[in-house]
Amino acid sequence: MKKDYKKLELDKILDLLSQNAYCDVCRERIKKIKPSFDIDTVRTEIAKTDDAFTLSSKFGTPKFYNIKDICFGAKRAQQGSSLSLRELMDIGMFLREVSGLDEWYSQCSGIQTSLTEYFEQLSVNKHLENMITNAIISEEELADSASPQLAAIRRSIQRKSLAVRERLDKLIKSQSTQKYLQESLVTMRDGRFVVPVKTEYKSEISGLVHDTSATGATLFIEPMAVVEANNEIRVLQIEEQKEIERIIKEMSELVGSFAEPMINDYEIVLMLEIYFAKANLGAKMKAVTPVITDKPCFNLIRARHPLIDKDKVVPISLELGNDYSSLIVTGPNTGGKTVSLKTAGLLVLMAMCGMMIPASENSVIGMFDELYVDIGDEQSIEQSLSTFSSHMTNIARILRTADEKSLIMLDELCSGTDPVEGSALAVSILDEFRKRDCKVIATTHYQEVKMYAIKTDNVENASCEFDIKTLRPTYRVIVGMPGKSNAFAISSKLGISSDIIDNAKELVSTEDKRFEEVVQSLEKTRQELEKLKSSAAAEQKKSKEITEQLKAERDQLEKDKEKELQDVRSKAASIIEEVRFQGDLMLEELERLRKQKESADFAQKVKGARSHINSSVNGMYDTANPIMQKKIDHYVLPRPLKVGDTVRLADLNKEGTLLRLPDSKNMCFVQVGAMKTKTKLENLRLVEEKKESKKQPTPSKVGKKLVSNFSRKSGMELDIRGMLGDDGVMEVDRFIDSCLLSGISVITIIHGKGTGALRSAVQQYLRKNPHVKSFRDGAYGEGEAGVTVAELE
């Protein structure tokens, strides 16, 4: 990595990025990433990182494994070599990762991104994956399921081994042979079953000696009785090894036949892992995708240094290359000048590496041909370089190649030498860069450099803010304002006596004092403007909150209004149905009186019925006018009322026309708009100036029209004619539930006369329903026995 990039700590960022990868090979590749200075490449890489970030946000990051490099093994298999079990296991793990990535991307179907082509190029090989997974247990062992023949051979070995053990167990448990044995156990030597025999009893047990103990006291003898069986086991073991080699050869040949697509998939998987590692790091940094432009400039909004704790770092906003090509950053030591410079340079390099940057939305990164850095102390005893000499060597190198597309970052320009000569040299170097239109950020303490930035076009001052009250830096960068070094204030805080500081102030030249006073005045003005701006922003925020609150209250009032209207409609429907029900009762009473007109007490009954009807009508008017009465004052009518007078209802504060004079109970009829109402005489106020009354429809027609329209539109009748008993009852049950929810209290069920079965089923259901207050057959004109009228609770 170039020395300039290391000074900006790009290597540490790449180390941080590598920690978000899973594969060792991928980590190494990440550490070798280099910034690109080609705009198409940068835009492409940034877009892929952004798409990986979007997919991870929606579907989670796909699963990656620590896969090994399978390219070498795949090429060997392609050339006919047999691979080791370890190599085959690595290939199996890689194939599982390819399958997993393909399965993960299947959930993103329909979403086209710049990564789509990579996922679509992956070639899933389930057959080879399953073969390797099922066949290999470890890098030293194949599973019995690797082939039927291998399983059969191993079963034979197991049976014969068991038979040999049984025969040897009988031998070592025999009383006649136990005294010859060192231990009563069966062991193995050279893959053959043997027993440990004491050396002095060698001749007592005939067999083949395979080994001797370290002390020579024990011989491991294979009894002649099991030699043939051991030979058979040995032959089977040779067959087993041949079968294992055949299986490995077969799998290696299959790997070789797919070598090219697997090598291609391997490269794709590594690229995908790098892009998702960039996306994951961006998420941890709360980073954004910058806008990439071909102009050599940048505009960083609330940028944060990625290596500083995100809970402690202070965001900065820096711009370069648009309104000015050089930015001179000044301020006290430890005030954040170098960090600001490094932040800008590092974020430019991160973008050129295709990474997201820790800044706010709409931050812009332009394209530079090269980035040069002179930061830190590079003095060298071996090369006889002092601090100043090392800086000048570096700047000489930059001056040889820098042009209008170069980004140059200079920390403490021309420090470490005589201040007079150093400041003059710094101004001269900066002016040379300005003439070349190089993009420069430089930090300095020299007053002459600050003055140069004030006087020169295309050069701007910036300062790292310092709180003079607390004598602590705020780490905020203020563009357009030169900063003070505050050396006297800092020295006083660190223990330098006031006499020394006062003497030093006297030694400062008059011109420098005047400049410092101007800077201090500007700083004071800036702080006041900051406060005003902050206050205005707070007021604007408060105004916005109040506006939003009023809007919310208005929306709530609209909802409450709609709810109230819905309740009123429901109550109106209930009132109309109640009126209709009472009317039906009246008609029924009239019909009953008609049938009794021949009786002796007919006149008395008619009088009683009239009284009952009047009482019912009064009750209906009270029901239809359920408005809380206002407190009526002591008002005296100026004259007796006449039909046609314009009156005002005190409780409603509405005007209407008197239709009928007060009755015996002091109740009057008043027409208010399209509505008739009955009210007490005390509630009326005479309006002296008579208003022109509009022609009102007759009461009977209005009432009839309301009832007729409501009945037709609201569906208070249920027609179940032609249904079977159970079906009809189910319809009635649903109808009653609907009416209860709507606040309707009277319903009519049309079932017809017929055999009477449907009528009987309906009325039996109504008797049991707890929500039915009463029911009756239809009256004359209603359908009589063909309908049932029910009153709901």
Side-chain angles (χ1 to χ4, degrees):
M1 182 177 290
K2 281 187 65 175
K3 182 170 62 175
D4 297 87
Y5 305 161
K6 278 192 175 183
K7 288 180 181 178
L8 293 175
E9 301 176 298
L10 178 62
D11 56 329
K12 294 181 180 179
I13 292 297
L14 294 180
D15 283 340
L16 200 61
L17 176 60
S18 69
Q19 294 172 18
N20 288 271
Y22 299 86
C23 170
D24 293 335
V25 178
C26 188
R27 291 193 185 100
E28 291 303 315
R29 289 198 180 188
I30 286 174
K31 292 177 181 179
K32 294 178 182 177
I33 290 177
K34 294 181 179 179
S36 173
F37 297 95
D38 177 66
I39 187 168
D40 293 330
T41 301
V42 172
R43 282 177 173 169
T44 300
E45 292 298 301
I46 283 282
K48 290 175 181 177
T49 301
D50 185 59
D51 287 338
F53 180 84
T54 302
L55 291 174
S56 292
S57 301
K58 290 183 178 180
F59 307 104
T61 303
K63 179 67 176 175
F64 292 97
Y65 300 94
N66 186 12
I67 56 173
K68 305 300 180 185
D69 189 345
I70 53 97
C71 298
F72 180 69
K75 289 178 181 177
R76 283 182 53 238
Q78 191 178 28
Q79 294 170 358
S81 299
S82 290
L83 304 181
S84 66
L85 291 181
R86 178 70 267 170
E87 289 175 310
L88 289 171
M89 287 178 69
D90 292 340
I91 290 172
M93 179 176 286
F94 164 72
L95 293 174
R96 280 198 300 278
E97 180 161 317
V98 171
S99 297
L101 289 173
D102 182 73
E103 183 179 348
W104 178 87
Y105 191 69
S106 64
Q107 67 183 329
C108 313
S109 57
I111 301 178
Q112 289 294 319
T113 69
S114 56
L115 300 177
T116 300
E117 59 175 323
Y118 293 128
F119 284 102
E120 290 179 347
Q121 286 180 33
L122 292 175
S123 53
V124 178
N125 194 334
K126 276 289 184 184
H127 173 66
L128 180 56
E129 176 193 342
N130 292 335
M131 176 184 287
I132 293 174
T133 302
N134 296 333
I136 303 176
I137 296 175
S138 69
E139 55 186 277
E140 297 178 350
E141 184 181 2
L142 279 180
D144 293 349
S145 58
S147 76
Q149 189 174 355
L150 180 63
I153 293 171
R154 287 181 173 175
R155 283 196 298 271
S156 298
I157 292 174
Q158 189 175 8
R159 284 197 303 271
K160 291 188 177 297
S161 297
L162 186 59
V164 171
R165 278 187 169 278
E166 287 177 352
R167 294 179 69 176
L168 290 178
D169 282 343
K170 290 180 181 179
L171 178 66
I172 63 178
K173 290 178 182 177
S174 171
Q175 293 293 332
S176 59
T177 58
Q178 275 189 352
K179 60 184 177 180
Y180 306 135
L181 302 178
Q182 196 71 260
E183 293 181 82
S184 297
L185 57 83
V186 177
T187 185
M188 294 193 76
R189 287 295 185 274
D190 299 329
R192 304 176 77 87
F193 290 101
V194 296
V195 293
V197 179
K198 295 176 182 178
T199 304
E200 59 269 24
Y201 297 116
K202 173 184 176 182
S203 59
E204 299 298 329
I205 296 180
S206 61
L208 303 176
V209 178
H210 285 278
D211 198 1
T212 306
S213 67
T215 61
T218 305
L219 298 175
F220 295 95
I221 297 176
E222 177 186 6
M224 293 303 296
V226 296
V227 169
E228 186 59 32
N230 273 335
N231 288 339
E232 292 175 359
I233 292 173
R234 188 60 179 165
V235 170
L236 288 172
Q237 288 173 342
I238 293 171
E239 292 179 2
E240 177 190 20
Q241 188 59 36
K242 288 181 179 179
E243 179 62 15
I244 290 172
E245 291 173 358
R246 186 196 68 78
I247 294 169
I248 292 175
K249 180 69 174 176
E250 181 182 348
M251 287 192 290
S252 299
E253 289 174 352
L254 195 57
V255 168
S257 65
F258 293 107
E260 292 301 329
M262 279 198 296
I263 292 171
N264 183 60
D265 286 351
Y266 180 75
E267 293 299 322
I268 291 174
V269 167
L270 291 181
M271 284 191 288
L272 287 173
E273 186 170 352
I274 290 173
Y275 292 130
F276 279 100
K278 289 179 178 179
N280 288 338
L281 180 61
K284 292 176 182 178
M285 290 181 174
K286 296 182 179 179
V288 299
T289 301
V291 178
I292 304 299
T293 178
D294 57 356
K295 184 180 178 181
C297 65
F298 62 75
N299 182 15
L300 300 174
I301 305 171
R302 293 186 60 78
R304 307 177 303 277
H305 196 290
L307 297 178
I308 301 176
D309 187 347
K310 61 178 180 291
D311 296 325
K312 297 179 180 178
V313 65
V314 177
I316 62 170
S317 296
L318 282 178
E319 183 179 0
L320 185 68
N322 292 315
D323 298 331
Y324 44 85
S325 62
S326 298
L327 185 66
I328 309 302
V329 184
T330 53
N333 290 320
T334 70
K337 299 190 302 297
T338 304
V339 171
S340 300
L341 186 145
K342 282 187 173 183
T343 300
L346 182 56
L347 266 56
V348 169
L349 287 177
M350 287 175 66
M352 290 180 172
C353 290
M355 299 171 67
M356 303 168 75
I357 62 171
S360 294
E361 294 285 350
N362 301 319
S363 292
V364 178
I365 299 290
M367 293 306 301
F368 299 93
D369 284 346
E370 191 51 86
L371 193 147
Y372 301 100
V373 178
D374 181 54
I375 298 176
D377 188 357
E378 294 188 13
Q379 62 178 325
S380 170
I381 296 175
E382 292 83 358
Q383 299 178 15
S384 300
L385 291 177
S386 66
T387 300
F388 178 76
S389 299
S390 66
H391 283 304
M392 287 302 101
T393 301
N394 205 14
I395 290 173
R397 171 183 65 88
I398 297 171
L399 283 167
R400 283 194 292 270
T401 55
D403 58 22
E404 71 277 3
K405 285 199 170 185
S406 299
L407 176 59
I408 303 168
M409 324 208 82
L410 306 172
D411 189 31
E412 301 292 354
L413 179 61
C414 295
S415 61
T417 188
D418 178 71
V420 176
E421 294 180 352
S423 60
L425 186 57
V427 169
S428 180
I429 291 170
L430 289 171
D431 201 53
E432 176 63 24
F433 285 138
R434 182 186 64 82
K435 290 175 183 177
R436 299 186 190 183
D437 198 25
C438 301
K439 309 305 177 285
V440 180
I441 301 182
T443 67
T444 185
H445 288 284
Y446 292 142
Q447 300 284 28
E448 291 79 6
V449 178
K450 298 177 190 178
M451 290 297 299
Y452 167 75
I454 292 173
K455 295 176 181 178
T456 310
D457 292 336
N458 213 21
V459 182
E460 186 62 87
N461 267 308
S463 61
C464 288
E465 191 179 49
F466 187 82
D467 191 339
I468 198 66
K469 293 180 180 178
T470 62
L471 297 179
R472 290 181 179 276
T474 64
Y475 301 106
R476 291 179 59 215
V477 177
I478 312 298
V479 177
M481 180 77 191
K484 293 178 63 179
S485 296
N486 292 296
F488 294 152
I490 294 172
S491 299
S492 176
K493 181 186 176 184
L494 295 175
I496 303 298
S497 69
S498 57
D499 293 339
I500 295 175
I501 292 174
D502 291 340
N503 188 36
K505 289 179 179 178
E506 292 295 328
L507 296 175
V508 176
S509 67
T510 304
E511 186 178 345
D512 286 341
K513 283 181 181 179
R514 201 159 41 244
F515 179 79
E516 286 294 328
E517 288 172 359
V518 171
V519 171
Q520 189 170 355
S521 176
L522 287 172
E523 175 65 15
K524 184 178 180 182
T525 303
R526 184 195 65 78
Q527 289 179 357
E528 290 174 354
L529 289 174
E530 282 279 331
K531 289 180 181 178
L532 289 174
K533 183 180 177 182
S534 177
S535 177
E539 289 297 326
Q540 184 180 8
K541 182 180 178 183
K542 185 177 179 181
S543 175
K544 185 178 180 182
E545 289 175 351
I546 292 172
T547 303
E548 290 176 351
Q549 183 180 354
L550 290 174
K551 183 180 177 183
E553 290 177 357
R554 184 192 66 188
D555 293 342
Q556 186 61 42
L557 286 173
E558 288 292 333
K559 290 180 182 178
D560 294 343
K561 173 185 171 184
E562 184 61 31
K563 185 176 182 299
E564 289 296 327
L565 287 174
Q566 188 64 32
D567 291 343
V568 169
R569 293 188 191 103
S570 177
K571 289 177 181 177
S574 178
I575 290 169
I576 292 172
E577 279 304 310
E578 182 66 24
V579 170
R580 181 184 175 191
F581 181 71
Q582 294 295 336
D584 290 342
L585 291 178
M586 292 177 194
L587 291 172
E588 186 177 347
E589 181 68 16
L590 289 173
E591 179 64 19
R592 188 178 62 80
L593 288 174
R594 184 183 65 81
K595 293 178 180 179
Q596 296 180 0
K597 66 181 180 178
E598 302 298 331
S599 60
D601 58 346
F602 175 72
Q604 186 67 27
K605 289 183 177 179
V606 169
K607 184 177 180 181
R610 183 180 292 114
S611 175
H612 176 69
I613 288 170
N614 287 336
S615 176
S616 298
V617 170
N618 289 337
M620 285 189 285
Y621 274 109
D622 290 340
T623 303
N625 188 26
I627 300 174
M628 185 179 292
Q629 300 295 318
K630 293 184 179 179
K631 184 178 180 181
I632 298 176
D633 52 9
H634 298 287
Y635 173 78
V636 179
L637 289 168
R639 62 172 175 80
L641 295 177
K642 297 182 294 183
V643 174
D645 279 346
T646 301
V647 293
R648 186 175 74 254
L649 280 70
D651 56 352
L652 298 178
N653 197 26
K654 297 285 186 183
E655 292 186 3
T657 303
L658 183 67
L659 297 179
R660 188 184 301 174
L661 293 175
D663 57 14
S664 59
K665 294 185 179 180
N666 234 16
M667 299 296 289
C668 304
F669 276 100
V670 179
Q671 182 83 34
V672 180
M675 181 184 74
K676 276 192 321 177
T677 184
K678 190 174 183 181
T679 184
K680 291 184 177 182
L681 180 63
E682 292 84 355
N683 189 37
L684 298 181
R685 305 289 183 267
L686 179 64
V687 179
E688 294 296 339
E689 294 184 4
K690 213 172 187 181
K691 297 184 179 178
E692 293 185 7
S693 59
K694 296 182 181 178
K695 187 177 180 181
Q696 302 295 332
T698 61
S700 60
K701 289 182 179 179
V702 171
K704 185 175 180 182
K705 184 177 181 182
L706 284 173
V707 171
S708 174
N709 285 346
F710 188 85
S711 298
R712 182 174 65 254
K713 293 178 182 178
S714 60
M716 297 306 104
E717 294 180 352
L718 175 65
D719 191 345
I720 59 172
R721 286 176 291 183
M723 294 186 181
L724 296 176
D726 291 342
D727 295 338
V729 168
M730 288 178 64
E731 287 297 321
V732 171
D733 183 64
R734 282 196 290 267
F735 182 63
I736 288 175
D737 287 344
S738 177
C739 290
L740 288 171
L741 290 173
S742 301
I744 296 167
S745 59
V746 179
I747 61 173
T748 301
I749 303 167
I750 305 173
H751 43 64
K753 296 178 181 179
T755 61
L758 184 56
R759 172 177 174 273
S760 176
V762 169
Q763 293 190 354
Q764 186 177 357
Y765 163 76
L766 294 176
R767 286 190 190 94
K768 297 178 181 179
N769 192 315
H771 300 294
V772 177
K773 186 177 180 181
S774 63
F775 66 89
R776 60 175 177 81
D777 289 338
Y780 178 76
E782 285 184 323
E784 300 178 352
V787 303
T788 298
V789 179
E791 183 180 4
L792 306 180
E793 291 286 354

